[in-house]
Amino acid sequence: MKIKYLPVFTDDIEKQVIFFTEHLGFEICGKKNILPDQESTLIKTSSPDLFIIILTDPNKEYGRGRIIVNSHDCLNDYYKLKMAGVVFYNEPHYLPMGLCADFSDPSGNQYLLIEERSYNHMF
């Protein structure tokens, strides 16, 4: 597992993109649907495997400061972490970006374990 996305929630995606691109010198990398019915902007960082993902959350359902942990096998990692004592908010479920499960650390920081999947490919 590794951290892949650092989410930044905003009420104005355009202003946030300008901040990261014009003020901090980062580049737009593309778009992703991580939350239902919401396209998010990906910002490329200096680390090739770490991206900032800018998104809105009008209902404040997902809380600010969530850390997104990439998994190659969400179900396997979910069960391993659960056996190690990690408390999950839910069982693995599907979001537009893939299979995921939510958990927190002892300090209350929130994490999203996600196995990215492309639903555009036929099996």
Side-chain angles (χ1 to χ4, degrees), residues 1 67-71 73-75 77-78 81 88 99-103 111-115:
M1 292 185 298
I67 297 167
I68 301 172
V69 180
N70 192 50
S71 170
D73 185 341
C74 184
L75 291 174
D77 289 336
Y78 167 80
L81 292 170
F88 282 82
L99 185 63
C100 67
D102 301 278
F103 65 96
Y111 297 82
L112 178 68
L113 176 67
I114 191 159
E115 176 186 338

Side-chain angles (χ1 to χ4, degrees), residues 27-42:
E27 296 177 29
I28 295 173
C29 183
K31 304 271 186 190
K32 279 272 190 191
N33 287 344
I34 189 165
L35 300 176
D37 302 322
Q38 183 181 140
E39 188 172 79
S40 307
T41 302
L42 284 178

Side-chain angles (χ1 to χ4, degrees), residues 36 92-100 117 119:
H93 60 282
Y94 291 96
L95 287 177
M97 196 169 169
L99 185 63
C100 67
R117 294 184 176 190
Y119 298 109

